[in-house]
Amino acid sequence: MIIAEIGTSHEGSVEKAKALIDASCNAGADFIKFQWVYAEEILHPDTGFVKLPTGNIPLYQRFKELECPVSFYKEMLDYTHSLGKKFICSPFGLKSLQELLEIHPDAIKIASPELNHYPMLKFLAEYRKNQKEKIPVILSSGVSTLSDIEKAITIVGKQNVSLLHCITSYPAPEEEYNLNLIKNLSAVFGIPCGVSDHSLDPILVPALSIAAGGTIIEKHITLSRKTEGLDDPVALEPEQFGFMSHTVNQAIASINHYGKDAGTRRIIEQLSEQYGKEKIQKVLGTGIKELAPAESQNYGRTNRSLHFMKAFDKGHVISKGDIGILRTEKVLTPGISPEYYDLVIGKTLSVSVENGAGVQFTDFFQSN
């Protein structure tokens, strides 16, 4: 399965979105993927700035600019289906998930930072519970531990669920991809596994992931790397994406023709001739699940934690609207895990807290 991740590269333009869908189809994608963005589901307004060619822009403002109405996503779904392809989308909170389910996508992708958005995962699991043919779910596992992945799969289940190995770094170094982890994750959790690739090379990680047992390739696509989409600098332009799809299909054909073991050896030998044996072995890695060096500093900041949505005085009793399940990102301090969301609702603050601050246990339980 080849997924073309359009994400927000359309920048809210219906015409550009359709041009990206056309390009993705022509470049060999099976699934066309979008992101259903509401800024308030992702970030606190004071989260910090993102550096763009036009200057430093508040990250929250940038996400606000990428918000689209439900009708936009429905039109993209219909257009994708009209071209004989499947539509997949990432929600980032309960509102976007509920609206996405209402337009009946072909699959739902949970992005790496949302792997610990437990209220959203629980809502999705409850929705799937009563479905005879459960809607496919793809979980991405960048900036996560083995325990994080296990918690998410325990909630969502394994039926029609796949996993993507990922490095949450833009761009991600090929040598840190540890693609031998693909078969190990698949064996540990008993579900298919592939790779979400943020590296710049259109060939190396995608083709080698097939040799490593991967069943899904996800890669960003853009009409031009010079445009201002948040992920455009690490995306493939259509010609590159087409080259990637061709190479991946060649790798699959090699395994089908020569058999799994011989076909795998052949792929590795061919890539070793092109990139060198030492680099190929580095990309394949140890197969042990660890945070990649490029993403380790993002753990706790890119994935979700609890944040205060306003400043509150000591003695305030916390209600649901007071706490956000957000990415910390740039300048704020990470809070405790979303698994404690229900625990803090109804609790009384023992200290005053600042707007946007990460929620800490010590905000409620001060030692003498």
Side-chain angles (χ1 to χ4, degrees):
M1 183 193 300
I2 297 176
I3 302 173
E5 165 67 293
I6 290 173
T8 58
S9 186
H10 52 80
E11 297 185 281
S13 165
V14 170
E15 293 74 19
K16 186 174 183 180
K18 289 185 175 180
L20 281 159
I21 292 173
D22 289 338
S24 300
C25 293
N26 293 333
D30 305 300
F31 273 81
I32 313 299
K33 182 178 173 300
F34 284 80
Q35 297 175 9
W36 199 305
V37 171
Y38 290 121
E40 65 270 15
E41 288 191 326
I42 304 173
L43 302 163
H44 189 277
D46 297 334
T47 195
F49 294 79
V50 60
K51 188 175 182 180
L52 294 175
T54 52
N56 286 339
I57 306 297
L59 188 55
Y60 182 87
Q61 175 187 323
R62 188 71 181 100
F63 274 100
K64 286 293 289 184
E65 294 168 355
L66 297 171
E67 293 181 1
C68 297
V70 174
S71 59
F72 171 87
Y73 297 101
K74 181 63 167 64
E75 186 172 355
M76 294 309 110
L77 179 147
D78 291 340
Y79 187 68
T80 298
H81 285 174
S82 75
L83 298 175
K85 302 295 182 177
K86 294 186 176 181
F87 179 89
I88 184 172
C89 189
S90 288
F92 296 106
L94 289 173
K95 179 181 177 182
S96 53
L97 173 59
Q98 290 168 14
E99 291 178 347
L100 173 58
L101 291 171
E102 287 173 3
I103 69 170
H104 304 293
D106 297 296
I108 290 175
K109 160 77 183 296
I110 302 298
S112 295
E114 285 65 62
L115 192 68
N116 71 334
H117 194 316
Y118 300 119
M120 185 173 71
L121 297 183
K122 289 175 182 176
F123 185 95
L124 178 58
E126 189 64 27
Y127 176 87
R128 282 166 37 94
K129 185 170 70 172
N130 298 320
Q131 286 186 308
K132 186 176 181 180
E133 185 68 28
K134 300 188 187 305
I135 186 170
V137 173
I138 300 173
L139 302 171
S140 200
S141 62
V143 73
S144 67
T145 65
L146 206 59
S147 175
D148 295 329
I149 300 170
E150 182 180 22
K151 287 179 181 178
I153 292 175
T154 298
I155 294 170
V156 177
K158 295 184 179 182
Q159 187 176 344
N160 267 3
V161 173
S162 302
L163 186 64
L164 290 183
H165 170 48
C166 176
I167 296 178
T168 304
S169 179
Y170 304 87
E174 291 95 349
E175 292 88 346
E176 296 183 12
Y177 250 93
N178 192 15
L179 292 177
N180 278 327
L181 186 58
I182 290 175
K183 61 178 178 292
N184 291 342
L185 288 174
S186 183
V188 166
F189 295 112
I191 58 177
C193 186
V195 65
S196 178
D197 179 22
H198 297 139
S199 68
L200 297 177
D201 192 299
I203 301 304
L204 180 53
V205 170
L208 197 54
S209 74
I210 300 300
T215 58
I216 305 170
I217 306 290
E218 179 187 70
K219 195 93 164 154
H220 281 273
I221 190 169
T222 180
L223 297 179
S224 171
R225 277 185 175 173
K226 297 178 181 179
T227 48
E228 296 181 5
L230 283 173
D231 298 312
D232 286 351
V234 299
L236 299 183
E237 295 179 350
E239 184 176 355
Q240 294 174 305
F241 199 101
F243 186 36
M244 179 201 75
S245 297
H246 174 70
T247 306
V248 165
N249 287 327
Q250 281 186 319
I252 294 169
S254 180
I255 289 176
N256 289 339
H257 180 75
Y258 294 100
K260 182 179 179 182
D261 292 340
T264 296
R265 287 195 300 270
R266 186 177 178 87
I267 295 167
I268 292 174
E269 288 170 1
Q270 290 174 338
L271 290 171
S272 295
E273 290 175 5
Q274 183 175 353
Y275 293 95
K277 290 183 179 180
E278 184 179 352
K279 182 160 187 175
I280 294 303
Q281 290 307 310
K282 284 183 178 179
V283 179
L284 286 171
T286 64
I288 299 170
K289 175 56 178 169
E290 297 175 317
L291 291 172
E295 67 178 0
S296 59
Q297 64 181 359
N298 296 327
Y299 189 74
R301 303 195 68 84
T302 301
N303 33 16
R304 299 300 181 112
S305 65
L306 302 185
H307 287 263
F308 293 108
M309 299 309 295
K310 295 179 183 178
F312 297 109
D313 293 329
K314 177 181 178 179
H316 177 79
V317 178
I318 297 297
S319 62
K320 287 189 175 182
D322 297 338
I323 302 291
I325 304 172
L326 304 173
R327 302 180 189 179
T328 301
E329 292 289 352
K330 306 299 181 181
V331 298
L332 298 177
T333 301
I336 59 178
S337 169
E339 64 189 303
Y340 302 113
Y341 177 79
D342 290 333
L343 178 66
V344 301
I345 301 302
K347 294 295 186 294
T348 301
L349 288 172
S350 59
V351 295
S352 296
V353 296
E354 296 181 358
N355 184 17
V359 177
Q360 309 298 330
F361 288 121
T362 52
D363 297 328
F364 306 95
F365 309 107
Q366 287 289 308
S367 59
N368 295 325

